[in-house]
Amino acid sequence: MLYLIEKFNSELTRWFYEKSIFLTEDVQGSNLTQARLKLYQAGIDSSSISDEQLLKYWDEAKKEKINFVKYVQDRL
């Protein structure tokens, strides 16, 4: 019986871990999409900015509570 409980807990832990990875990727993908869309709408070509850098700009602008587009413009 104890073996079954340990096996269930192990499977449950693995399932939650996998779901948390997917949720993190979904949020990052969503932020990246929003960031590129905002820049596009502002007439800014973001094709030269890597996804990683763009997400960093997104997080920094959010943290500093400033306009994302203005934040990126100041760094280009």
Side-chain angles (χ1 to χ4, degrees), residues 9-64:
N9 284 338
S10 173
E11 291 294 317
L12 188 61
T13 301
R14 185 173 53 82
W15 181 84
F16 276 113
Y17 175 75
E18 290 172 355
K19 294 301 178 197
S20 71
I21 289 173
F22 289 130
L23 289 174
T24 301
E25 289 173 353
D26 288 348
V27 168
Q28 286 179 342
S30 176
N31 288 347
L32 184 59
T33 300
Q34 288 181 46
R36 293 215 184 268
L37 183 59
K38 285 186 181 289
L39 293 175
Y40 173 79
Q41 290 171 336
I44 299 172
D45 179 6
S46 66
S47 63
S48 64
I49 306 171
S50 71
D51 291 351
E52 181 179 277
Q53 186 63 50
L54 201 58
L55 285 170
K56 184 178 176 186
Y57 288 162
W58 180 267
D59 290 340
E60 289 171 356
K62 185 176 181 181
K63 181 181 174 184
E64 294 181 25

